[in-house]
Amino acid sequence: HSQERDSTWTGAPQPKEMDGEDEEVDDHEEQAVWPDEAGMFPLQSSSSPSTDHTPREDGPGEGPCAVCEMCGIVGTKDTFFSKTKRFCSVSCSRSYSSNSKKASILARLQGKPPTKKAKVLHKAAWSSKIGTFLYSQGVGQLLNGTMTGQDAVATGFDWGTYLTENGFDAAPVTCFRHVPLYSQWDDVTVGLKVEVLNSDAVLPSKVYWIASIICLAGYKALLRYEGFEDDSSHDFWCNLGTVDIHPIGWCAVNGKLLVPPQSVHQRIKNWKKYLMNRLVGAHTLPVDFYIKMAENMKYPFRQGMRVEVVDRTLVSRTRTAVVDTVIGGRLRLLYEDAGLEAGGEALSDFWCHMWSPLLHPVGWSRKVGHVIKSSDKRVDMSSHPTFRKIYCDSVPHLFKKVRTVYMEGGFFQEGMKLEAIDPLNLGNICVATVRKVLLDGYLMVGLDGVETEDGWFCYHASSHAILPVGFCEKNQIPLTLPAGYDRVTFTWPKYLEETGAIAAPARLFNTDCPGHGFAPGMKLEAVDLMEPRLVCVATVRRCAGRLLLLHFDGWEPEFDQWVDYQSPDIYPVGWCEITGYQLQPPIASEKKMVKKKLANLISKNLPPPRARQRSPGSDPSLKAEELGDDSESPFPAPPFFCQGLDAPSYRRSSTKTTSQDS
């Protein structure tokens, strides 16, 4: 295995002579390979990423690219440090020397004689591992209060119980192209045998036993220990992305004990013969299953990288922001001129996936002709830790490539009519107009009846959110009309004649719909795009071409949202548990948890906690005594798209609460 790792690893830069502006590597210090926390050697090359999250070209960049020889980050050469442009920051230049010394010391402690050919430490991108780190530590709250790690999943909601008790199905991992192990999931099937921690043993140390997969639900698997055969009373759910599940043979290689569960150890006399018969012809997890998992959870973005993203206070423009946190490919962004609270935290942030169509490299707005907010130079963010770590501007190479647009035979024109998802109420599809044609296939689209430019929204021509005239009628979806029009009498031909407009040709829209695997009733984890820091328990309510109508469990249908089946904001069951991101359970489950907590307090003769006063926007059905001692209003703030906007079409009276608010 070590030979394979050494031969595969090409990510560490070779030592070079450094100029006078950079710190020099001590010529007398011999360098050694520095393994990561798991004892593995880095497998990902900074120049040729090998994961499913490989950044893709988005067209020519604004300048020549450079790769930092310390951390492997990609940026524009003119933003790099020193004349040689070999490092993205002063800290990387200094770390290049100090880390090579650490590697040499580690090699000596391990009894490995350093050689002249040994490589310099390839520093891990810590921001890309933050989710795994927080989860392994079992601690975590982000600065904005979002829970992470084991605290994020230990809220009382259990996917296995939820699925089993209600007979729900979950969307398979193969439906989600942007998640870890997507390309390896075809190897995971019902009947697969694994070695898993034995929870039915009385030995003082950890022991393992063999189990079979009975059912799959996203990353979750219903397992049954060998020996129980047709007895389902001891079945249990596990997440196949966790570290306590291994392929057959792992215990033998690592010197771990295989011990049958106490409940059945007397039932079979010869366990060795029994297992031999059961394992003949059986399949198990690929040996590199968790290596692939680790590779898939490395991301090209890290703290301190500058990007352009939609302005949450004015959707018709973009704004410059800095990456603060990376968890599972989701980015917490801080606007550069948001200002700071008294405690030093940024006043305004924004969450999105690194492949979100709302996120762009620095220079994108100027390139396509989009409006971008000018930074307020009077706002000083330098005291915030993230703004002391600004390394480089993001470049197109890191972003998902958009679909190529062919303009032969005509393209979108200003004034053309179409149907579009309302960016302020994602459950509505509305009558809309192309207001402006930008470069590179981008359009500014406005809803009819909202004439101000502030309500225009930028879509790419390949976006799922713009649809040809007649799409709603064809798919029996209610079309939201401009004020003054009646749904019973409205027809597109009559409306086009009245407005003197033409419909955008259907051939210009991305309506291709291969079999995506989703079906109504399937469960998944989905971002509430009106409150994008929240990932919630959700259900596919219906499918219409490429579109999925998502329903958030425990909430009214008016909160439903249309998304594309390839959206980076939907995830398999168990994704939050793997990445350490907080999952928002159905609101009914939250109320039950609070009541159970109160019952436990009463049983111990402890007084119930005092509730804080609710705000006017809170749910009147949620009693004060159900809120708990640390509760805020369960409906803390308007959704990001509505802040600072006049949005009469937005019907929500409240937004989702996080589990810690309950």
Side-chain angles (χ1 to χ4, degrees):
H1 290 291
S2 61
Q3 290 177 349
E4 283 185 14
R5 293 170 192 154
D6 290 341
S7 63
T8 307
W9 177 52
T10 58
Q14 297 294 329
K16 298 180 181 178
E17 292 297 324
M18 306 176 71
D19 64 10
E21 294 192 14
D22 298 329
E23 300 221 4
E24 295 187 2
V25 177
D26 189 344
D27 291 335
H28 300 288
E29 287 287 351
E30 296 179 288
Q31 297 100 33
V33 177
W34 186 276
D36 63 19
E37 298 90 344
M40 300 296 295
F41 291 90
L43 297 175
Q44 183 179 16
S45 168
S46 58
S47 59
S48 301
S50 59
T51 75
D52 288 345
H53 302 285
T54 304
R56 307 179 183 183
E57 292 291 343
D58 194 28
E62 298 299 323
C65 288
V67 179
C68 178
E69 294 186 10
M70 179 62 210
C71 63
I73 205 71
V74 180
T76 53
K77 210 162 190 176
D78 57 357
T79 63
F80 269 41
F81 174 70
S82 86
K83 292 181 180 179
T84 56
K85 309 298 183 186
R86 294 175 55 202
F87 303 98
C88 65
S89 65
V90 178
S91 61
C92 273
S93 173
R94 292 172 178 170
S95 298
Y96 188 87
S97 174
S98 61
N99 282 329
S100 64
K101 294 174 183 177
K102 291 176 186 176
S104 180
I105 293 169
L106 177 69
R108 290 175 186 145
L109 291 174
Q110 293 176 337
K112 300 176 182 177
T115 65
K116 293 182 180 179
K117 294 182 180 180
K119 301 174 178 64
V120 175
L121 159 65
H122 179 73
K123 179 183 177 184
W126 291 107
S127 60
S128 69
K129 295 187 176 182
I130 190 169
T132 306
F133 172 76
L134 289 173
Y135 182 76
S136 66
Q137 296 297 308
V139 298
Q141 271 200 11
L142 299 180
L143 293 178
N144 67 351
T146 301
M147 297 169 67
T148 59
Q150 292 177 0
D151 291 345
V153 294
T155 57
F157 177 77
D158 177 62
W159 261 120
T161 303
Y162 189 63
L163 294 169
T164 304
E165 290 183 351
N166 298 281
F168 294 140
D169 292 326
V173 174
T174 50
C175 290
F176 307 86
R177 299 186 179 184
H178 57 285
V179 301
L181 296 177
Y182 159 77
S183 57
Q184 285 77 38
W185 207 255
D186 285 336
D187 296 327
V188 181
T189 58
V190 171
L192 205 72
K193 297 190 184 297
V194 293
E195 294 178 355
V196 64
L197 197 65
N198 183 357
S199 59
D200 186 19
V202 292
L203 298 176
S205 59
K206 283 186 177 182
V207 293
Y208 295 80
W209 190 238
I210 296 171
S212 299
I213 296 178
I214 303 301
C215 176
L216 286 169
Y219 287 115
K220 306 285 281 188
L222 184 64
L223 299 180
R224 182 176 300 170
Y225 287 126
E226 289 296 329
F228 284 103
E229 297 178 351
D230 297 328
D231 182 2
S232 62
S233 60
H234 292 79
D235 291 356
F236 58 99
W237 287 90
C238 276
N239 192 317
L240 292 180
T242 62
V243 295
D244 279 331
I245 302 176
H246 308 281
I248 299 297
W250 179 86
C251 285
V253 171
N254 292 276
K256 303 294 183 180
L257 293 177
L258 278 174
V259 178
Q262 188 179 11
S263 304
V264 295
H265 78 281
Q266 296 290 350
R267 185 181 304 174
I268 297 171
K269 300 300 182 183
N270 190 336
W271 279 105
K272 182 176 180 180
K273 182 178 179 181
Y274 173 82
L275 285 182
M276 289 298 292
N277 292 334
R278 297 284 292 178
L279 294 178
V280 170
H283 296 277
T284 189
L285 292 174
V287 292
D288 62 347
F289 189 75
Y290 292 104
I291 295 176
K292 293 293 185 183
M293 167 69 81
E295 289 178 1
N296 292 170
M297 294 182 71
K298 295 178 182 178
Y299 307 100
F301 289 86
R302 69 166 180 173
Q303 187 181 49
M305 184 176 288
R306 297 173 71 246
V307 297
E308 291 181 9
V309 70
V310 67
D311 186 347
R312 61 181 288 173
T313 63
L314 194 63
V315 297
S316 60
R317 70 184 180 189
T318 55
R319 196 168 168 185
T320 307
V322 175
V323 176
D324 174 67
T325 307
V326 184
I327 302 181
R330 303 204 75 230
L331 313 178
R332 184 192 183 216
L333 306 172
L334 304 180
Y335 292 112
E336 276 196 323
D337 57 355
L340 300 176
E341 298 175 352
E345 176 56 16
L347 285 169
S348 184
D349 66 353
F350 183 78
W351 280 91
C352 68
H353 193 273
M354 63 182 185
W355 282 2
S356 170
L358 305 176
L359 188 70
H360 308 284
V362 171
W364 174 86
S365 297
R366 178 173 57 85
K367 180 182 177 184
V368 303
H370 196 284
V371 176
I372 184 170
K373 180 186 178 184
S374 300
S375 296
D376 188 346
K377 303 297 183 182
R378 296 170 297 176
V379 178
D380 183 14
M381 303 285 286
S382 60
S383 60
H384 192 282
T386 295
F387 289 85
R388 293 199 294 266
K389 299 179 180 178
I390 297 180
Y391 293 105
C392 59
D393 293 346
S394 58
V395 292
H397 176 71
L398 302 178
F399 295 78
K400 186 177 181 181
K401 183 179 179 181
V402 294
R403 182 171 174 172
T404 303
V405 174
Y406 298 98
M407 299 188 181
E408 293 183 9
F411 191 58
F412 288 97
Q413 298 177 11
E414 187 174 320
M416 282 183 171
K417 299 292 182 182
L418 66 160
E419 298 176 5
I421 296 176
D422 183 354
L424 303 181
N425 190 350
L426 297 166
N428 288 351
I429 300 179
C430 310
V431 175
T433 302
V434 177
R435 304 293 187 180
K436 187 178 180 181
V437 179
L438 307 180
L439 300 178
D440 291 353
Y442 288 94
L443 316 167
M444 296 302 294
V445 175
L447 305 184
D448 286 19
V450 182
E451 302 304 326
T452 61
E453 293 186 15
D454 291 350
W456 296 359
F457 199 73
C458 183
Y459 293 111
H460 191 263
S462 63
S463 171
H464 71 280
I466 56 174
L467 305 159
V469 163
F471 176 87
C472 285
E473 181 181 5
K474 178 181 177 182
N475 291 278
Q476 298 181 341
I477 299 171
L479 179 64
T480 302
L481 306 176
Y485 285 87
D486 181 68
R487 189 172 293 167
V488 177
T489 59
F490 177 87
T491 63
W492 265 112
K494 183 180 178 181
Y495 184 72
L496 292 173
E497 183 180 352
E498 290 177 359
T499 56
I502 61 172
R507 60 179 175 78
L508 298 178
F509 297 87
N510 180 17
T511 56
D512 297 342
C513 184
H516 49 58
F518 289 100
M522 284 183 171
K523 298 292 179 181
L524 67 163
E525 299 174 1
V527 175
D528 177 5
L529 294 170
M530 302 308 295
E531 191 70 53
R533 68 188 176 95
L534 304 183
V535 178
C536 311
V537 173
T539 306
V540 178
R541 186 176 169 191
R542 64 168 298 189
C543 305
R546 297 178 59 91
L547 296 182
L548 310 175
L549 182 61
L550 298 184
H551 173 74
F552 297 102
D553 291 19
W555 295 86
E556 293 76 16
E558 66 192 61
F559 292 89
D560 293 356
Q561 297 177 6
W562 288 102
V563 301
D564 187 70
Y565 81 94
Q566 289 185 330
S567 168
D569 295 307
I570 57 177
Y571 310 100
V573 165
W575 178 86
C576 283
E577 186 178 356
I578 288 176
T579 60
Y581 202 96
Q582 180 186 3
L583 177 66
Q584 302 300 318
I587 188 170
S589 298
E590 294 184 18
K591 291 182 179 179
K592 290 177 183 177
M593 288 189 302
V594 174
K595 290 179 180 178
K596 184 176 180 181
K597 182 178 180 181
L598 289 173
N600 290 336
L601 291 174
I602 293 171
S603 67
K604 297 176 183 178
N605 294 320
L606 296 174
R610 289 188 302 169
R612 296 182 184 177
Q613 187 175 2
R614 297 195 307 274
S615 69
S618 63
D619 182 359
S621 66
L622 193 61
K623 298 179 182 179
E625 58 269 20
E626 293 178 351
L627 292 175
D629 56 344
D630 60 347
S631 64
E632 302 284 358
S633 162
F635 307 104
F640 75 96
F641 276 149
C642 291
Q643 295 181 5
L645 284 180
D646 178 20
S649 62
Y650 185 73
R651 301 184 307 166
R652 288 194 184 191
S653 60
S654 59
T655 56
K656 290 187 175 62
T657 173
T658 63
S659 58
Q660 67 264 28
D661 292 328
S662 298

